[in-house]
Amino acid sequence: MRELLRVASTGAPVDLAAIDPRSTPGLPPGAGHGSHRKTWARGQVELIGAGLGRQQEMLFATAKVAAGPAAPASAPVAAGGHLGGDRPGRVLVVLQAMDCGGKDGAVKRVAGAMNPLGLHIRSFGPPTGEELRHDFLWRIRRALPPPGFVGVFNRSHYEDVLVARVDRLVPETTWRARYDEINAFERELVDAGVALVKVMLHISPAEQGERLAERLTDPTKHWKYDPSDLEARARWADYQAAYAEALGRCGTGDAPWFVIPADRKWYRDWALAHLLSETFAALHLGYPAADFDVERELRRLRDGGSPQPSERSEVNSR
Amino acid sequence: MRELLRVASTGAPVDLAAIDPRSTPGLPPGAGHGSHRKTWARGQVELIGAGLGRQQEMLFATAKVAAGPAAPASAPVAAGGHLGGDRPGRVLVVLQAMDCGGKDGAVKRVAGAMNPLGLHIRSFGPPTGEELRHDFLWRIRRALPPPGFVGVFNRSHYEDVLVARVDRLVPETTWRARYDEINAFERELVDAGVALVKVMLHISPAEQGERLAERLTDPTKHWKYDPSDLEARARWADYQAAYAEALGRCGTGDAPWFVIPADRKWYRDWALAHLLSETFAALHLGYPAADFDVERELRRLRDGGSPQPSERSEVNSR
């Protein structure tokens, strides 16, 4: 699946128009035809999802044992964006798409199959005042997953070469310089043991139109709609050109870009689950060996008998 | 369920010995008997979980619309522990238990039923050096869920009156003063619109012994075991006394403590799902009304036709 969805790392803009958003690359003949494929794919996502959960647990377990018994719980608040090359692995999924591209839905279905305790999901909107006072990668670094976690970026640093370019938020020299800055940053992540999975969910303008109409006609979806969505839609080709160049400039050998045709939600979820599964497989994870003497601990547990009956010493000391 | 599991807010230590960890308060007769109850409860957790997912979406949607269109995505990194009394609701589940009490399992099954995009889960271990240089509530404030999110604290500020007391990490005057500090802090949270759900998962020493033995005999669970677990187990009564006083001193009218008998995992998950469901119901959530003219937007969408065909202006300007 990785080979089928990966875009060439040539530096030249990716030809997105050549990728049909309704296509289903890699879908096996066994999936059947017509509406059967959807049922098949949904079932497969459940199956693959169970495997993702096991892989995620191994990743978490490995990081916990590597950190040692005295280490604090891997609380995200303690992450602070520090990276150490000798620390165990982590996974980071970077999700980008046009409005209505299905990022939220994909997270819900694919990340939702994993244990929420080991997920580190961050959404990036327009930068706050404090974020604007820093380099564009400042808020990204602060949001990196700690070792052992599966991170998901719902939008990312790529917005700084997408909306920043199309809406002319910064001069062209500024956003052009960011391609190299992004490549250097991602090189650093890869060297620190982060398995990067960069995914563009690729939809057609027609599909976006249908999904926007649905958000406008279903009152339980009004909250997902923003009038500015139509301004962005009007600049569809500008955005596609910005994506094409970003994917071409920042798709590297160790941090490739994948484009998932996303007009069909069931294919989108199946393909993303598959990509993640392949990413985990390449990490060759397993449950870590005990860093204590198992037999000795079993004896201690048995000999310990029942715990102390009362809090006598504590009461006496008051 | 809230009334059944809530402990009395008298200020006096809670009589934990009077609560049977194998009991199943509130389980309806329709659940059946023996192993049928487990099957029934697992099914109910799925059903309740689907409802929790809808409630969570309404909470998220309400916060998004209240923040206005120009607001940044509710990225947890931007939360910073600020609270505003006029901001919309959020939910915070505080989970405490002895080792093997089932916190992780409960999070996986109950929080796992919700959309991971709207969850804000934080685990607290022994404080880091930086955390020790601050007040004990410093790291807690930084980990609060942003508006619209469902937060889960896997351990919490209560560790500072539990392990800190039993292991004598601080003088008695220090941990004793914390009861009032915690009550003032939680008062502030409640006033700021945080729905607090404080839950102790209550297991028996025998059940803990079985679960520890399982962690020692199943190599895929070795990573969950720590030799220091047996030292804590040896001080069972001290911990129970510390819990009894913490729950008695910090169970207030607006921020009550609930004790869930947790020797039976299926009951534990069912009861927690039920508690959360009742918490959501009390918030009277709904999908927010559109803050834009729906008909006008539908016209704009229709009249917009197909998006611009090319990026001419951008190309010419280079």
Side-chain angles (χ1 to χ4, degrees):
Chain A
M1 191 57 85
R2 285 176 67 89
E3 295 315 313
L4 280 173
L5 301 177
R6 183 203 305 247
V7 295
S9 313
T10 62
V14 170
D15 185 4
L16 286 170
I19 303 173
D20 179 359
R22 292 189 67 78
S23 63
T24 57
L27 200 73
H33 297 280
S35 64
H36 288 105
R37 295 185 302 175
K38 181 175 173 176
T39 311
W40 178 89
R42 290 272 182 243
Q44 285 291 306
V45 168
E46 295 250 324
L47 283 178
I48 301 171
L52 292 177
R54 278 190 296 276
Q55 295 276 344
Q56 178 202 24
E57 184 170 270
M58 292 181 204
L59 186 75
F60 194 88
T62 303
K64 179 171 182 282
V65 171
S74 312
V77 285
H82 299 299
L83 292 167
D86 56 342
R87 297 173 79 180
R90 59 195 110 170
V91 171
L92 177 57
V93 180
V94 172
L95 276 184
Q96 288 286 158
M98 297 292 286
D99 289 325
C100 299
K103 297 187 307 300
D104 290 9
V107 170
K108 186 175 173 178
R109 289 196 179 261
V110 180
M114 291 186 259
N115 186 340
L117 263 179
L119 290 174
H120 188 87
I121 302 181
R122 295 297 182 267
S123 298
F124 295 95
T128 63
E130 185 183 18
E131 288 168 356
L132 283 173
R133 284 193 293 278
H134 292 85
D135 173 79
F136 76 105
L137 290 173
W138 179 76
R139 63 174 183 164
I140 304 296
R141 287 181 180 276
R142 287 160 54 97
L144 290 170
F149 279 74
V150 175
V152 179
F153 281 179
N154 185 4
R155 302 188 190 270
S156 67
H157 43 299
Y158 282 92
E159 291 295 323
D160 296 288
V161 291
L162 294 169
V163 64
R165 164 183 176 161
V166 174
D167 281 358
R168 301 174 197 274
L169 304 179
V170 294
E172 179 167 346
T173 49
T174 301
W175 59 255
R176 284 217 165 272
R178 288 177 177 167
Y179 295 133
D180 287 342
E181 289 158 10
I182 288 174
N183 286 338
F185 168 60
E186 294 184 354
R187 171 85 260 155
E188 184 190 337
L189 294 185
V190 168
D191 288 346
V194 178
L196 270 176
V197 188
K198 303 188 295 186
V199 175
M200 179 200 182
L201 303 178
H202 181 50
I203 58 166
S204 63
E207 179 70 21
Q208 187 193 52
E210 282 181 30
R211 294 185 188 177
L212 284 170
E214 200 184 329
R215 290 183 180 184
L216 282 168
T217 47
D218 180 349
T220 71
K221 292 186 175 171
H222 282 165
W223 65 278
K224 295 185 184 181
Y225 181 86
D226 190 295
S228 71
D229 293 350
L230 290 189
E231 275 105 71
R233 175 170 168 78
R235 306 208 63 183
W236 187 275
D238 289 350
Y239 270 103
Q240 294 292 303
Y243 267 105
E245 190 160 4
L247 270 56
R249 288 292 306 274
C250 301
T252 61
D254 287 327
W257 264 103
F258 301 97
V259 174
I260 295 183
D263 271 11
R264 301 176 195 268
K265 295 175 181 174
W266 54 264
Y267 174 78
R268 170 199 78 198
D269 297 338
W270 178 77
L272 180 60
H274 230 296
L275 264 188
L276 260 173
S277 179
E278 289 178 7
T279 303
F280 274 123
L283 296 179
H284 304 293
L285 294 165
Y287 284 100
D291 57 355
F292 50 83
D293 182 336
V294 176
E295 290 307 318
R296 179 172 170 274
E297 293 303 315
L298 269 169
R299 274 195 307 277
R300 279 181 71 206
L301 175 62
R302 274 191 224 107
D303 298 349
S306 42
Q308 55 166 154
S310 77
E311 200 198 22
R312 196 75 56 190
S313 63
E314 173 81 9
V315 171
N316 287 348
S317 73
R318 277 201 214 136
Chain B
M1 191 57 86
R2 285 176 68 89
E3 295 314 313
L4 281 173
L5 301 177
R6 183 203 306 248
V7 295
S9 313
T10 62
V14 170
D15 185 5
L16 286 170
I19 303 173
D20 180 359
R22 292 188 67 77
S23 63
T24 57
L27 200 73
H33 296 281
S35 65
H36 288 105
R37 296 184 301 174
K38 180 174 174 175
T39 312
W40 178 88
R42 291 271 184 244
Q44 286 291 307
V45 168
E46 296 250 324
L47 283 178
I48 302 171
L52 293 178
R54 277 189 297 275
Q55 295 275 345
Q56 178 202 24
E57 185 170 271
M58 291 181 204
L59 186 76
F60 194 88
T62 303
K64 179 172 183 281
V65 170
S74 312
V77 284
H82 299 299
L83 292 168
D86 55 341
R87 297 173 79 180
R90 59 196 109 170
V91 172
L92 177 58
V93 181
V94 172
L95 276 184
Q96 287 286 158
M98 298 290 288
D99 290 325
C100 300
K103 297 187 308 299
D104 291 9
V107 170
K108 185 175 173 178
R109 289 197 180 258
V110 180
M114 292 185 259
N115 185 340
L117 263 179
L119 290 174
H120 189 87
I121 302 179
R122 296 296 181 269
S123 299
F124 295 96
T128 63
E130 184 183 18
E131 288 168 356
L132 283 173
R133 283 193 294 279
H134 292 86
D135 174 78
F136 76 103
L137 291 173
W138 178 75
R139 63 174 184 165
I140 304 296
R141 287 182 181 277
R142 286 161 53 97
L144 290 170
F149 279 74
V150 175
V152 180
F153 282 178
N154 185 4
R155 302 187 190 271
S156 68
H157 42 300
Y158 282 92
E159 291 295 322
D160 296 289
V161 290
L162 295 169
V163 64
R165 164 183 176 160
V166 175
D167 281 358
R168 301 172 198 274
L169 304 180
V170 294
E172 179 168 344
T173 48
T174 301
W175 59 255
R176 284 218 165 270
R178 287 177 177 166
Y179 295 132
D180 287 341
E181 289 159 10
I182 288 174
N183 286 338
F185 168 60
E186 293 184 353
R187 171 84 260 157
E188 184 189 338
L189 294 185
V190 169
D191 288 346
V194 178
L196 271 176
V197 188
K198 303 188 295 186
V199 175
M200 179 201 183
L201 304 178
H202 181 50
I203 58 166
S204 63
E207 180 69 22
Q208 187 193 52
E210 283 181 30
R211 294 184 189 178
L212 284 171
E214 201 184 329
R215 290 183 180 184
L216 283 167
T217 47
D218 180 349
T220 73
K221 292 185 175 172
H222 283 164
W223 65 277
K224 295 184 182 180
Y225 181 86
D226 190 295
S228 71
D229 293 349
L230 290 189
E231 275 105 71
R233 175 171 168 78
R235 306 207 63 184
W236 187 274
D238 290 350
Y239 270 103
Q240 294 292 304
Y243 267 105
E245 191 161 4
L247 269 56
R249 289 292 306 274
C250 301
T252 61
D254 287 328
W257 264 103
F258 302 96
V259 175
I260 295 183
D263 271 11
R264 302 177 195 268
K265 295 176 181 175
W266 54 264
Y267 174 77
R268 171 198 77 199
D269 297 338
W270 177 78
L272 180 60
H274 230 295
L275 264 189
L276 260 173
S277 179
E278 290 177 7
T279 302
F280 274 123
L283 296 180
H284 304 293
L285 294 164
Y287 284 101
D291 57 355
F292 50 82
D293 182 336
V294 176
E295 290 306 319
R296 178 170 171 275
E297 294 302 315
L298 269 169
R299 275 196 306 277
R300 279 181 72 206
L301 175 62
R302 276 193 221 105
D303 298 348
S306 43
Q308 56 166 152
S310 77
E311 200 197 22
R312 195 76 55 190
S313 64
E314 173 80 9
V315 172
N316 288 348
S317 72
R318 279 202 212 134

